[in-house]
Amino acid sequence: MHIPQLSRVEIYRQIRVILVRRLIDIGRLCIVVTGSRIHVKGSLQFLPGVAAAMTPGTVQEIFKEIRSIRSITAVDASLDNWMLTNKITQTWVPIQAAQTTEARESAEPTILFGCNESS
Amino acid sequence: MFREVKGETLKRILLVDDDVAILRGLKPALTREGYDVVTTSNPTEVSSMISRESFDLIILDVRMPAKSGVEVFDELKKINPDMRFLFITAFLKSFSVESNAMLKRWQELLPDGNTDVLYKPFKLDDLYLKVEGLIGPAKGG
């Protein structure tokens, strides 16, 4: 039986559904869908007020769920605060906050919108 | 009413922000990407605009003095539950001052996956990614 491929917009939507259900702050993530591959960048963290701590197991579960979206064959990530150290075992480790800030500041000298906003 | 390029109808975006400088900056940026962009700095007129015209995406500032982006969102969702939204805000707490209330509101607003959030300040590339993730590229997609 032929299972139709999901449109890119539908894949994006399903990813957002997963992240919101898991109380992830989607404002800190950017997702890129290219063909059947998903790339996630930014910072993976819970919303303020979530009592649970983000653990390697939580990160693993989130990516497992994203990988299970139909039409998706691969998911990779370049996160500011988590690093995949073993692709086979899907082992994630947190990256130190200090390293993260330093890396971001040196990597993104671009025009920013809304810098003087108070809203 | 709908702009066409080479016979294709462009995807339409309504950009709502009380800060005219943001509107002036973002409209040409999104137009360059191929979207048909309409702007307003008055959130109280959004409902009437929606009843007259069709939009694929509403980009909303959260904190606006006349009416908050969340109030506009609530109104428009009643008119069209499938409408796509991108909230632009400086503070996550703009959704609510209490983090517990904010969590609840977040789950009420976003579970269908038709809404995304972008924090100020942001890079245009991140805006383009968010917009494309919600409605696809300007033409087709």
Side-chain angles (χ1 to χ4, degrees):
Chain A
M1 188 176 79
H2 175 69
I3 299 171
Q5 298 287 298
L6 296 178
S7 72
R8 285 177 68 206
V9 168
E10 177 58 18
I11 293 169
Y12 278 110
R13 192 190 69 77
Q14 291 196 14
I15 297 168
R16 284 190 297 270
V17 167
I18 292 168
L19 295 171
V20 168
R21 179 164 27 81
R22 289 179 170 274
L23 295 175
I24 299 299
D25 186 350
I26 56 172
R28 302 192 189 284
L29 290 172
C30 273
I31 315 286
V32 182
V33 178
T34 313
S36 61
R37 296 185 71 91
I38 294 173
H39 183 76
V40 183
K41 64 171 190 161
S43 182
L44 185 71
Q45 57 191 71
F46 284 127
L47 293 164
V50 174
M54 181 78 73
T55 64
T58 316
V59 179
Q60 194 177 355
E61 281 171 22
I62 291 167
F63 279 97
K64 186 179 172 190
E65 196 171 350
I66 292 174
R67 269 198 309 278
S68 73
I69 294 172
R70 183 155 52 85
S71 312
I72 293 305
T73 57
V75 181
D76 60 86
S78 46
L79 297 172
D80 295 340
N81 57 342
W82 286 92
M83 193 193 322
L84 183 65
T85 54
N86 188 323
K87 276 193 171 183
I88 296 163
T89 58
Q90 286 291 304
T91 306
W92 291 87
V93 294
I95 300 172
Q96 293 298 319
Q99 285 179 315
T100 305
T101 307
E102 191 180 319
R104 192 186 306 124
E105 282 173 358
S106 62
E108 300 182 356
T110 31
I111 298 167
L112 298 173
F113 272 85
C115 290
N116 300 319
E117 282 295 293
S118 59
S119 59
Chain B
M1 192 173 288
F2 295 97
R3 209 152 64 85
E4 287 192 14
V5 173
K6 291 180 183 170
E8 283 191 89
T9 304
L10 300 180
K11 298 225 171 98
R12 303 193 82 218
I13 297 173
L14 176 58
L15 180 55
V16 187
D17 197 313
D18 61 310
D19 185 340
V20 177
I22 294 278
L23 298 179
R24 283 200 195 117
L26 294 188
K27 181 174 180 176
L30 288 165
T31 304
R32 261 198 315 274
E33 287 297 296
Y35 296 101
D36 184 9
V37 183
V38 176
T39 64
T40 178
S41 59
N42 181 3
T44 61
E45 69 176 17
V46 174
S47 285
S48 61
M49 291 175 81
I50 293 291
S51 64
R52 291 193 308 269
E53 302 178 55
S54 163
F55 294 96
D56 298 288
L57 173 68
I58 316 293
I59 300 180
L60 276 172
D61 185 19
V62 174
R63 273 195 189 174
M64 293 180 283
K67 188 185 260 187
S68 82
V70 176
E71 286 176 278
V72 176
F73 172 94
D74 286 339
E75 271 182 24
L76 301 186
K77 273 288 190 185
K78 283 177 194 156
I79 299 168
N80 179 0
D82 297 325
M83 180 77 77
R84 310 255 159 159
F85 292 88
L86 176 60
F87 282 120
I88 294 184
T89 181
F91 301 110
L92 188 56
K93 283 189 173 178
S94 296
F95 287 97
S96 172
V97 287
E98 298 280 342
S99 60
N100 282 343
M102 186 276 292
L103 277 179
K104 188 169 176 291
R105 199 73 180 106
W106 183 274
Q107 288 174 301
E108 287 167 359
L109 293 173
L110 312 179
D112 61 6
N114 287 333
T115 302
D116 207 339
V117 178
L118 181 63
Y119 293 125
K120 297 176 186 175
F122 57 83
K123 295 186 297 175
L124 282 177
D125 283 349
D126 289 338
L127 173 69
Y128 299 150
L129 282 175
K130 293 279 186 180
V131 169
E132 194 175 330
L134 283 159
I135 58 172
K139 288 173 276 180

